[in-house]
Amino acid sequence: MESLEGKRGLPRIKPPFPATHGLYNKPTVVNNIETLANLPYIVGRGPEWFASIGSPPKSTGTRVFCVSGHVKQPGNYEVPMGVTFRELIYEHAGGMRSDKPLKAFIPGGASAPFLTPSHLDVKLDFESVAAAGSMLGSGGVTVMEEGTDMVWAALRLMEFFYHESCGKCSPCREGSSWLVQTMRRIVAKRGQMQDLETLVDLCKNIEGRTVCAFGDASVAPIMSTLKHWRPEYVTLIQEAESANLIKLEPAGVRH
Amino acid sequence: MDNITAEHVRLTIDGISISVPKGTLVIEAARRVGVMIPHFCYHPKLKPDANCRMCLVEVERMPKLQTSCSTVATEGMTVRTATTVVHNAHKSVLEFILANHPLDCPVCDQGGKCDLQDFSHQYTATSRFAETKRIFQKEYFSPLIETQMNRCVQCLRCVRYCDEVMDVKALAPIGRGTMTEIKSFGAHPLDCEFCGGCVQICPVGAITSRLSMYEYRPWMLKRADTVCMFCGDGCQITVQTKDQELIEVNSAQGAGRNSGDLCARGFFGFRAASHPDRLTHPLIRRNGALVEATWEEALEFVAEHTKRLKLSHGPQAFGGLISGRCTNEELYLFQKFMRLTIGTNNLDSSARYGHINGVQAMRSVQGTHRWTVTFEDIVQADVLLLIGTNITEANPITGLKVKEAVKKHEATLLTIEAIQPAIGTISNISNLSKQHVCVAPSQFGAAVLGLLKAVVEGNHIDSTLRQQAPDYVSAVSQAIQQLDWEDLAVSTGVSSESFVQMAASLAGGRRVVALAGQTLLRSQGAYGVCLNLLDLLLLTGKLTAQGCGFAPLAEENNDQGAVEMGAVSALLPGVLDLTDRDARDQITRAWKEDLPVATGATLIEMIGLAQTGIIKGLFIVGENPVGSLPPQTGVKEALSKLDLLVCQELFLTETAALAHVVLPAASAMEKAGTFTNTEGHVQAVRPAIDPVGDSRPDWEILSAFSVFLGAPLEYGDAKEILKEIRAVIPGYGSLGPSPIPPAVDPAAVDRYMNEGYRRDLATRYTLPARDVRQDGTVQLGLTQSLFHSGKLSTYSTGLLQIEPSGLLQMNPVDAARLGLDAGDRVRLSNGQGKFTTTVKVLDRVPEGLAWLPDHFAQDALRLFDCVVDPDTKVPSYRTASVSVVKTA
Ligand code: SF4
Ligand code: SF4
Ligand code: SF4
Ligand code: SF4
Ligand code: FES
């Protein structure tokens, strides 16, 4: 809305909400194309029909999922809500690219925490994914096979958040640059053990303290990879330490 | 927060229960119970932006921490600011903010008054950040404002202030994420109003003043709270000094009438007082040249010649002229000195240049000599009418009140100004107008008549008034009906529909304030126009209603005080008529001495009398008629004929150069006293430094004269004079936080409607003469610049860096018509003389007009005719028709 008004693309403080004070201060409804695309069918065939599809009570209807990553047939798949990830990945998307086992997947876009193979039978509906500790978000499912470097994967996403942070609020602006730099260092084998603690602290300090949901989202990759694949971080750091590549001792800074 | 009839809500903050008006933010409510929630981006003047996240607090029944700067207090809310969770959140936000911060406190001018430094200290916050810090290239920002963007915490206060409060929009954040950098919009280096607001509002050392760069640490400075010495808005300023050096001026949020806002003159102009050209010794003319003398010699010289002249020619051979920049105490003592010690009413002040027009009109119609409204009424008005104010440049802080009314409270702004609504580097009030009519200054009167005609014909006349004063109403109606819409349209260039719409807005307003500024007040026939404006308010029932009134704006800081102290020929202290026997008796009783009764001469009359040799001695305090009046008045020849010209001055002005004795006066930075601002608010002036050299405050000099003349007017200090003023004008200068305006005097209004109006109604209700424009000519107008005030500011190094000389500003269409480009040298000429200057092309100048800043126009004055108002004796010489030719 800010951009439409010719201003910088920054989040607005809510309240007031767009529904009462939106574009040019007029009531505004903001909707996804996907939502709007559903409307003709709902109007045509009635809400009962729509509600009969999917996984009631809340997650009814169909949803388009964009499957990408290490699958045979990446693409957009419209499925009824409530099918499992296993079905989506192995039936619709044709299974893993090189038939390696699946290592991890992101269920709902860059801001959704990573899930593990043990979550494959989770149903694709809002409640089930939330119960598994992630979210369905944008419906972008990214699949990673065995052998994927999870620290690198988290960094890759962090780079995105760092680039996209609008810079309006301090935790997100400063936090994303800090996180990305620390992650880069760890991946480049210049990390230290205490970095892991710092990463967790920083993530916690960003979460829930920003103007918009972007801040919360930006910590998901790091938090979830640290949760499920902490040893990968540790290994990278241990390699750094044993190779004695770097002993970070910033002059004059006491931690 | 507008809350005249506000409801209240009760909430609990850290266990303390407090009731606050509905709409109050939690951070403000907390402040009221003495809890200071740390913050960067919040500022009471600005809309919440909640970007820094420093002010997080716990609110019961809300899952996440809330930013107290954007959360509105609600009934029953429970807020906790002192928990571990909150403390840790604050610490973590600080850690983030410190991450990329350079921490160059040792060389940072903000050190010692920096919010980031203070909070870091409070929370013993450090940052574990050990990565590479973001670095912005150092850029040259402007001659007066320094930026060090690595220190920026991206709170956007500067950007928001410049937009929301100033309406200048000179700053913008560029880039994203950590690369967000504050830059000036458009032209680089920064070109803006230079109000200093961004410098003051920046919580860290990212934007600082170059005037005092690297010169001090806050704790080295001594502070004096005083009043700005430039315009009539009367801003409270805090002058900071190191030893005898003026280092910095700022102003505190909540203090004074300006509440922390200043204009370029106030913020950057202070060094005028410490200009090296300041006079530091008395001078006496010997063998034709001014030579240094001791005070003793100078005072003896004055006394001896005064006595001699008085003996042979009597007291009427003397006159006196004082500047509206002097304190009330000095103005009071000056008129007392002239009236008692010398024995003449030949005295005048710079209020005569225009301010007196507004004051006399108020006296004639509503029986007050002050506004019946205050700045608060302007802010709360629902309809504001501006006529010839040039408000942004002439009275910038009153201008901010108007902006606040429009931008925050959605007031309807109607403007009749000689300006086009073009966007430029400084704000343009007509951009905020609901309805704007662009009228040449000579036709402001015609525009007011157009409004009156629309009021009468549109049946907007107050019904009670019709019954109460049928004669007056019908006389005005008849007079106005003589005028033809077509003639009005030719004179003003404005259609009848515009006037009809404006009149409807005006009549529909509940709280209507009409502001008239110096562009009007100094123009020919201004007194009559002011009376007509008062008619307009009276007819629509807006003169006496609550929150309504007429507000003529004073140009010099104490023009209003000059009138109230009786420093004008026909008025005694308390603005009593000299011709009023009771008033004279009252003053006589207070002074225990008889007053001279002979009518006094005004400014222009005194010059005439000096010319004819009747006035032989003239005392001039801080005024420079030779530099201010057109040569046609014969001012220079007249003053050269005097047997005794005594000047008390800061600088050797054109006038002082003719004097027999020049006495070095102390500036407003060096003396105590009071100033009365345009609203009639009396405020304390306090010395920030000692008088420069051997200079003395003007009142001390006047007092010394009286002693040497054997009729001592002796006072220990300025306070003693104020005490006497209070005895003469009961209750003068209560020095409260805001003025208590007088009410319209119903008896005076009755007198006006029964009798007063008859005297000049017919003359006032005729169209002013039109300017005849010939090919190759423009209508040249002397204007007030935002960056200057009189000639005093032309001694300010800071202001000279913004505007070093007077450029001829003209519309692009005219420039093209005359084949001129920006920067071309041009010769202006008419039958009376010529003047060479440089062209500046400016969109906002109306077509056919050209502006020349008054402050640099001494040599252009010969182009102007001077017309004296028959009633108020105001000399007006603001416009002239000139041809413009490019010189090689
Ligand atoms: S802005 Fe404040 S914290 Fe930063 S260098 Fe300046 S004084 Fe220090
Ligand atoms: S000094 Fe200039 S940039 Fe700063 S707030 Fe004032 S007008 Fe805006
Ligand atoms: S320059 Fe100062 S006021 Fe402006 S955003 Fe940066 S820290 Fe805030
Ligand atoms: S010149 Fe006028 S508006 Fe500017 S700071 Fe001084 S008193 Fe205020
Ligand atoms: S002060 Fe509340 S978020 Fe900045």
Side-chain angles (χ1 to χ4, degrees):
Chain A
M1 280 188 287
E2 295 280 302
S3 304
L4 277 179
E5 289 179 16
K7 300 181 188 149
R8 278 166 65 85
L10 297 181
R12 295 187 177 181
I13 321 173
K14 288 168 244 171
F17 291 95
T20 56
H21 296 76
L23 190 63
Y24 298 111
N25 238 351
K26 299 283 184 296
T28 308
V29 180
V30 184
N31 267 317
N32 218 317
I33 308 254
E34 190 185 10
T35 313
L36 297 177
N38 281 329
L39 289 180
Y41 299 99
I42 300 180
V43 173
R45 304 195 193 178
E48 293 76 22
W49 167 81
F50 190 76
S52 72
I53 309 172
S55 163
K58 284 198 184 146
S59 311
T60 58
T62 65
R63 188 121 195 243
V64 178
F65 292 96
C66 168
V67 185
S68 63
H70 304 152
V71 289
K72 287 216 171 77
Q73 288 153 16
N76 290 307
Y77 299 95
E78 182 172 5
V79 295
M81 303 268 280
V83 302
T84 62
F85 282 102
R86 192 180 296 282
E87 185 184 335
L88 181 70
I89 296 168
Y90 287 96
E91 288 174 25
H92 300 286
M96 298 306 287
R97 186 174 64 175
S98 40
D99 292 323
K100 281 194 203 167
L102 178 144
K103 179 172 183 183
F105 64 95
I106 309 171
S111 20
F114 285 50
L115 291 179
T116 65
S118 63
H119 297 115
L120 271 175
D121 291 316
V122 169
K123 286 202 256 172
L124 278 151
D125 64 34
F126 299 117
E127 298 84 352
S128 313
V129 179
S134 188
M135 61 182 195
L136 214 42
S138 68
V141 179
T142 309
V143 180
M144 284 156 265
E145 64 189 11
E146 197 57 67
T148 310
D149 180 342
M150 296 314 290
V151 186
W152 178 86
L155 168 62
R156 185 62 204 85
L157 287 169
M158 199 54 231
E159 293 278 3
F160 162 79
F161 286 111
Y162 166 60
H163 184 256
E164 291 298 322
S165 168
C166 77
K168 175 165 171 148
C169 66
S170 343
C172 173
R173 180 185 64 240
E174 303 297 337
S176 61
S177 101
W178 191 341
L179 287 174
V180 86
Q181 292 200 51
T182 310
M183 290 291 290
R184 281 180 196 159
R185 214 161 26 76
I186 295 175
V187 170
K189 300 197 182 160
R190 288 193 288 111
Q192 292 176 297
M193 248 0 141
Q194 73 217 44
D195 288 339
L196 298 186
E197 192 191 324
T198 310
L199 284 178
V200 174
D201 273 1
L202 293 181
C203 290
K204 285 193 188 143
N205 289 342
I206 296 174
E207 210 175 358
R209 292 180 186 166
T210 53
V211 175
C212 73
F214 192 87
D216 298 347
S218 67
V219 305
I222 295 183
M223 285 296 265
S224 57
T225 49
L226 263 176
K227 181 165 141 202
H228 301 301
W229 296 279
R230 190 182 173 96
E232 294 194 19
Y233 284 83
V234 174
T235 312
L236 273 172
I237 292 171
Q238 277 168 346
E239 277 176 36
E241 282 180 350
S242 60
N244 205 5
L245 274 177
I246 192 137
K247 278 272 181 287
L248 231 145
E249 278 174 39
V253 174
R254 257 189 315 160
H255 293 292
Chain B
M1 308 276 119
D2 183 0
N3 49 41
I4 322 165
T5 53
E7 293 170 54
H8 280 65
V9 293
R10 184 161 281 283
L11 75 163
T12 311
I13 300 171
D14 291 344
I16 310 167
S17 170
I18 180 186
S19 162
V20 294
K22 213 172 164 177
T24 304
L25 296 166
V26 170
I27 197 168
E28 279 299 319
R31 202 178 44 80
R32 292 200 198 174
V33 297
V35 174
M36 209 285 281
I37 302 175
H39 57 271
F40 291 105
C41 71
Y42 171 73
H43 193 278
K45 280 187 193 297
L46 308 175
K47 281 188 236 143
D49 199 43
N51 64 44
C52 74
R53 316 310 280 180
M54 191 62 207
C55 65
L56 292 167
V57 294
E58 259 179 76
V59 178
E60 211 161 80
R61 283 198 294 279
M62 297 226 196
K64 290 201 257 177
L65 296 178
Q66 298 294 313
T67 45
S68 57
C69 70
S70 63
T71 307
V72 173
T74 54
E75 184 62 41
M77 187 182 248
T78 302
V79 178
R80 275 185 283 271
T81 76
T83 65
T84 319
V85 177
V86 172
H87 183 85
N88 287 343
H90 291 171
K91 220 170 150 164
S92 78
V93 172
L94 264 181
E95 182 177 35
F96 282 129
I97 291 177
L98 287 172
N100 272 313
H101 196 84
L103 281 175
D104 48 3
C105 305
V107 291
C108 176
D109 271 346
Q110 196 81 0
K113 54 171 185 180
C114 172
D115 288 350
L116 181 55
Q117 215 180 31
D118 293 350
F119 295 146
S120 302
H121 184 249
Q122 186 184 338
Y123 288 86
T124 47
T126 53
S127 192
R128 287 168 288 176
F129 187 84
E131 318 302 326
T132 317
K133 291 196 187 206
R134 172 261 290 121
I135 291 174
F136 292 121
Q137 279 301 313
K138 177 90 189 78
E139 275 184 27
Y140 176 72
F141 198 64
S142 86
L144 294 176
I145 297 177
E146 170 82 352
T147 55
Q148 182 44 268
M149 274 304 141
N150 291 320
R151 297 183 193 136
C152 173
V153 299
Q154 278 85 14
C155 67
L156 303 188
R157 276 208 220 173
C158 54
V159 177
R160 288 146 64 213
Y161 182 87
C162 193
D163 171 13
E164 292 174 30
V165 176
M166 297 301 297
D167 202 40
V168 177
K169 306 182 176 78
L171 302 174
I174 311 289
R176 276 209 309 212
T178 42
M179 297 314 286
T180 306
E181 187 181 7
I182 310 302
K183 294 209 176 191
S184 61
F185 237 125
H188 218 64
L190 178 70
D191 189 1
C192 66
E193 287 192 15
F194 290 102
C195 67
C198 49
V199 176
Q200 294 209 67
I201 212 162
C202 180
V204 294
I207 305 190
T208 50
S209 164
R210 284 178 75 101
L211 278 193
S212 50
M213 201 158 60
Y214 304 140
E215 276 190 12
Y216 68 99
R217 284 289 170 199
W219 55 85
M220 297 172 173
L221 302 181
K222 245 180 47 209
R223 286 169 187 74
D225 288 332
T226 182
V227 181
C228 174
M229 60 185 171
F230 291 113
C231 88
D233 287 350
C235 295
Q236 184 168 317
I237 56 175
T238 304
V239 181
Q240 317 224 32
T241 53
K242 202 166 83 184
D243 305 324
Q244 288 305 303
E245 221 186 312
L246 299 168
I247 301 290
E248 191 181 60
V249 161
N250 42 40
S251 68
Q253 155 75 18
R257 305 299 296 150
N258 49 320
S259 183
D261 302 317
L262 289 175
C263 80
R265 304 187 286 252
F267 193 78
F268 287 116
F270 60 94
R271 294 234 167 113
S274 50
H275 192 279
D277 287 355
R278 273 284 298 274
L279 294 169
T280 50
H281 295 282
L283 303 171
I284 298 182
R285 189 168 298 279
R286 294 195 202 280
N287 304 323
L290 284 169
V291 291
E292 269 185 26
T294 64
W295 272 102
E296 192 84 24
E297 289 166 338
L299 292 170
E300 294 239 337
F301 185 102
V302 173
E304 187 193 314
H305 286 80
T306 306
K307 280 184 195 154
R308 178 177 58 79
L309 286 172
K310 197 169 161 182
L311 209 61
S312 43
H313 303 284
Q316 289 301 90
F318 289 89
L321 192 56
I322 188 165
S323 160
R325 294 208 189 281
C326 290
T327 61
N328 286 323
E329 290 72 7
E330 291 164 340
L331 289 154
Y332 172 84
L333 190 59
F334 171 76
Q335 57 85 37
K336 187 173 179 187
F337 169 82
M338 290 308 298
R339 289 187 163 120
L340 291 191
T341 315
I342 305 289
T344 178
N345 286 311
N346 293 338
L347 63 107
D348 217 341
S349 69
S350 49
R352 184 68 62 188
Y353 287 113
H355 190 61
I356 197 90
N357 275 332
V359 175
Q360 291 293 32
M362 289 192 285
R363 294 182 76 223
S364 308
V365 179
Q366 63 188 29
T368 76
H369 53 265
R370 279 187 183 173
W371 296 9
T372 56
V373 287
T374 61
F375 284 166
E376 285 79 359
D377 291 309
I378 296 179
V379 171
Q380 275 162 16
D382 58 356
V383 176
L384 287 164
L385 173 65
L386 264 54
I387 302 176
T389 59
N390 183 19
I391 202 157
T392 302
E393 305 210 49
N395 296 80
I397 295 304
T398 315
L400 289 191
K401 310 290 172 192
V402 173
K403 291 173 187 172
E404 188 178 343
V406 178
K407 294 180 72 143
K408 285 208 186 129
H409 307 287
E410 283 153 17
T412 301
L413 176 63
L414 311 171
T415 44
I416 301 175
E417 298 275 344
I419 193 169
Q420 292 205 358
I423 292 171
T425 53
I426 68 171
S427 66
N428 182 334
I429 199 75
S430 63
N431 284 324
L432 296 179
S433 305
K434 167 98 177 300
Q435 219 192 324
H436 169 64
V437 295
C438 177
V439 178
S442 60
Q443 300 304 317
F444 287 147
V448 173
L449 290 174
L451 267 181
L452 275 161
K453 190 169 167 68
V455 160
V456 170
E457 293 182 0
N459 224 352
H460 296 305
I461 297 177
D462 184 43
S463 50
T464 27
L465 192 84
R466 274 185 199 284
Q467 290 166 10
Q468 196 191 337
D471 289 352
Y472 164 71
V473 171
S474 71
V476 171
S477 305
Q478 266 170 26
I480 203 80
Q481 251 129 32
Q482 309 280 311
L483 299 175
D484 185 58
W485 277 122
E486 253 164 57
D487 285 342
L488 275 164
V490 174
S491 292
T492 57
V494 178
S495 69
S496 60
E497 292 80 43
S498 298
F499 289 123
V500 168
Q501 273 175 29
M502 247 194 195
S505 304
L506 204 63
R510 231 174 5 91
R511 300 172 70 98
V512 180
V513 180
L515 292 105
Q518 293 294 318
T519 322
L520 169 64
L521 296 173
R522 296 192 166 202
S523 69
Q524 195 181 332
Y527 172 61
V529 181
C530 289
L531 290 173
N532 294 355
L533 268 170
L534 286 157
D535 280 340
L536 184 73
L537 293 177
L538 190 54
L539 289 171
T540 47
K542 311 295 178 200
L543 190 68
T544 45
Q546 170 71 29
C548 293
F550 173 59
L553 297 164
E555 178 181 322
E556 285 191 348
N557 52 343
N558 207 18
D559 275 349
Q560 181 67 24
V563 178
E564 295 184 355
M565 291 302 109
V568 280
S569 59
L571 297 173
L572 295 170
V575 202
L576 304 173
D577 279 313
L578 180 69
T579 49
D580 177 347
R581 171 167 278 284
D582 291 345
R584 261 199 342 256
D585 289 349
Q586 184 191 327
I587 303 293
T588 307
R589 271 197 305 279
W591 287 352
K592 303 189 179 65
E593 211 171 313
D594 277 336
L595 292 176
V597 281
T599 318
T602 62
L603 168 65
I604 297 292
E605 291 163 341
M606 282 191 276
I607 292 167
L609 292 173
Q611 187 72 274
T612 51
I614 294 169
I615 284 185
K616 296 193 179 300
L618 200 55
F619 290 88
I620 298 187
V621 184
E623 253 306 306
N624 178 14
V626 178
S628 315
L629 288 168
Q632 278 79 350
T633 54
V635 55
K636 192 166 177 186
E637 301 72 45
L639 297 197
S640 309
K641 284 190 182 161
L642 292 168
D643 287 337
L644 178 65
L645 176 58
V646 184
C647 284
Q648 302 174 202
E649 254 302 350
L650 298 177
F651 299 101
L652 196 64
T653 61
E654 291 89 341
T655 305
L658 301 176
H660 299 98
V661 183
V662 182
L663 300 159
S667 81
M669 293 284 184
E670 299 143 38
K671 61 191 177 188
T674 55
F675 286 153
T676 304
N677 84 341
T678 187
E679 317 165 83
H681 187 46
V682 183
Q683 311 185 84
V685 176
R686 300 185 184 89
I689 50 172
D690 296 336
V692 167
D694 268 351
S695 68
R696 307 302 313 155
D698 287 310
W699 70 265
E700 276 190 44
I701 305 177
L702 291 164
S703 178
F705 286 162
S706 70
V707 172
F708 274 72
L709 286 167
L713 305 171
E714 278 189 285
Y715 303 87
D717 58 16
K719 278 217 181 79
E720 270 184 35
I721 310 181
L722 183 61
K723 220 161 107 193
E724 181 175 321
I725 296 174
R726 287 196 174 136
V728 177
I729 315 171
Y732 194 82
S734 59
L735 300 176
S738 56
I740 303 159
V744 169
D745 173 8
V749 179
D750 280 345
R751 265 199 310 279
Y752 174 72
M753 292 193 301
N754 290 332
E755 206 36 62
Y757 74 89
R758 287 179 215 269
R759 201 176 61 84
D760 53 2
L761 191 77
T763 23
R764 293 194 266 132
Y765 280 67
T766 43
L767 289 175
R770 288 180 200 137
D771 308 322
V772 266
R773 201 190 307 160
Q774 282 153 356
D775 273 359
T777 69
V778 290
Q779 201 58 34
L780 181 65
L782 294 179
T783 53
Q784 162 77 48
S785 158
L786 170 60
F787 305 116
H788 286 285
S789 171
K791 303 253 178 325
L792 176 57
S793 60
T794 61
Y795 291 96
S796 158
T797 43
L799 297 172
L800 284 176
Q801 283 187 68
I802 312 175
E803 187 177 1
S805 62
L807 303 179
L808 181 78
Q809 297 153 35
M810 54 176 17
N811 186 283
V813 175
D814 287 318
R817 183 167 56 95
L818 299 166
L820 300 171
D821 283 323
D824 281 351
R825 292 288 291 169
V826 286
R827 192 171 51 237
L828 312 178
S829 58
N830 61 13
Q832 284 154 270
K834 48 185 185 296
F835 173 69
T836 310
T837 181
T838 305
V839 171
K840 174 177 177 182
V841 177
L842 196 63
D843 294 331
R844 64 182 61 197
V845 182
E847 250 176 80
L849 304 186
W851 296 348
L852 192 64
D854 189 14
H855 327 281
F856 299 97
Q858 310 68 310
D859 296 331
L861 288 171
R862 65 176 82 93
L863 302 170
F864 294 84
D865 277 327
C866 180
V867 182
V868 179
D869 189 289
D871 291 312
T872 57
K873 306 289 194 261
V874 168
S876 123
Y877 49 91
R878 305 298 282 185
T879 59
S881 178
V882 294
S883 64
V884 185
V885 180
K886 188 166 163 176
T887 63

